[in-house]
Amino acid sequence: MLPKKDSLYAHPVTQVSNFCFDAAVVQVFPDMINRSVPGYTTIIHAIGLMADYYTPANGRCYDLGCSLGAASLSMQAQISASDCQIIAVDNSPAMIAQFQQHYRPQPNKATIDIQCADIRDIDMSQASVVVVNFTLQFIPIADRLAFLSKIYQSLLPGGVLILSEKLCFTDPQQQQLQTDMHHAFKKAQGYSALEISQKRQALENVLLPETLQTHQARLQQAGFRSAEVWFAYFNFASLIALK
Ligand code: GEK
């Protein structure tokens, strides 16, 4: 089935409501995220490569805020170790229903256990790899340290967290440039000025970006020995944090 084109914000509305991951978003999600997040496809592929590098036989990986499971499926396709398990969690019932409906177990590949839950509440343990791909930005800032500390505790020695986020910048000129370049990216992907502006309004109080330095300091506070950027494209970056 071809993913539907995202035109959710193509028509003017008097009051833009807060963005949420409902059935309408699920219908267009692959198109939306590909045309909105610079480097998304590259990141998804590389998550699979890193998961293969870090996951031993009988290993366990988590994909937290899995949406339709792109990162889980990339890990499943690329992990070569035997008898591995991927636990994929999202709190949007519409996302999880769609992922479950399309999921097919693959012979001799890691299994994917798909769960509908709030990632702040789940129990986690014995993890080799934890993926939080563009999801921390939707968690209230006050909850982020406790959430990352739980991830740290759940990782085995030598385990890793892959954390991708939209960033903001302390220097106003840098902030303006990076925002303008992101909007230029979206325009080049076919979004109109109206779509870009209404989506920005919808996300305003929902997606809360922080600076790279804030993320790195918090990861260190949560216990990680180091957290470095392995990929960045305008105001979007992915870090790998080592236990
Ligand atoms: C991908 N990782 O394709 N608990 C569980 N899920 C949550 C929570 C929460 N508290 N808050 C938000 N979500 C995916 C893309 S999208 C990013 C991730 C984006 C979920 C939410 O339901 C949504 O599916 C996901 O986090 C964020 O690699 O749309 O920009």
Side-chain angles (χ1 to χ4, degrees):
M1 188 183 73
L2 276 177
K4 262 177 68 180
K5 187 169 184 222
D6 169 27
S7 58
L8 293 180
Y9 293 96
H11 303 291
V13 291
T14 37
Q15 180 82 46
V16 179
S17 326
N18 276 351
F19 187 82
C20 70
F21 294 95
D22 59 12
V25 167
V26 167
Q27 287 302 307
V28 299
F29 187 75
D31 180 65
M32 172 186 279
I33 197 155
N34 265 295
R35 292 199 292 134
S36 304
V37 175
Y40 175 75
T41 308
T42 303
I43 292 171
I44 290 293
H45 183 255
I47 285 172
L49 292 176
M50 290 187 273
D52 182 37
Y53 186 86
Y54 280 103
T55 311
N58 296 299
R60 178 183 293 169
C61 304
Y62 287 88
D63 179 7
L64 304 180
C66 62
S67 299
L68 299 178
S72 293
L73 294 169
S74 174
M75 291 195 280
Q76 185 191 48
Q78 297 185 74
I79 291 172
S80 48
S82 59
D83 302 309
C84 294
Q85 179 193 27
I86 298 163
I87 299 175
V89 186
D90 202 289
N91 69 348
S92 157
M95 284 286 186
I96 289 297
Q98 176 96 333
F99 184 9
Q100 267 165 343
Q101 196 185 328
H102 290 101
Y103 174 62
R104 300 283 173 273
Q106 300 297 314
N108 305 317
K109 289 289 186 186
T111 57
I112 306 180
D113 174 5
I114 305 168
Q115 302 177 6
C116 190
D118 191 310
I119 53 180
R120 288 168 294 179
D121 300 337
I122 59 166
D123 289 329
M124 299 172 59
S125 63
Q126 303 284 104
S128 300
V129 176
V130 177
V131 173
V132 184
N133 200 37
F134 301 110
T135 299
L136 188 69
Q137 58 197 18
F138 294 104
I139 302 279
I141 289 178
D143 295 350
R144 292 182 186 181
L145 177 59
F147 173 60
L148 292 177
S149 301
K150 175 176 77 171
I151 292 174
Y152 179 81
Q153 295 303 330
S154 78
L155 283 164
L156 295 166
V160 294
L161 164 67
I162 301 166
L163 176 68
S164 313
E165 286 281 289
K166 183 178 188 181
L167 299 177
C168 64
F169 302 84
T170 42
D171 174 30
Q173 223 172 314
Q174 191 70 247
Q175 178 63 31
Q176 191 62 53
L177 168 69
Q178 301 280 352
T179 306
D180 288 350
M181 292 320 298
H182 178 223
H183 291 172
F185 172 89
K186 291 188 73 166
K187 190 164 170 240
Q189 296 295 316
Y191 282 116
S192 67
L194 177 72
E195 285 177 295
I196 294 169
S197 133
Q198 293 194 140
K199 176 78 178 290
R200 191 186 50 73
Q201 280 179 60
L203 284 172
E204 203 137 75
N205 302 312
V206 178
L207 190 169
L208 303 172
E210 295 176 292
T211 64
L212 174 61
Q213 295 70 28
T214 300
H215 284 296
Q216 284 176 315
R218 186 186 291 116
L219 286 164
Q220 196 176 20
Q221 223 186 325
F224 290 92
R225 59 184 297 176
S226 83
E228 297 291 349
V229 173
W230 65 269
F231 182 86
Y233 190 161
F234 300 143
N235 45 350
F236 291 79
S238 189
L239 290 87
I240 182 154
L242 312 180
K243 177 153 182 172

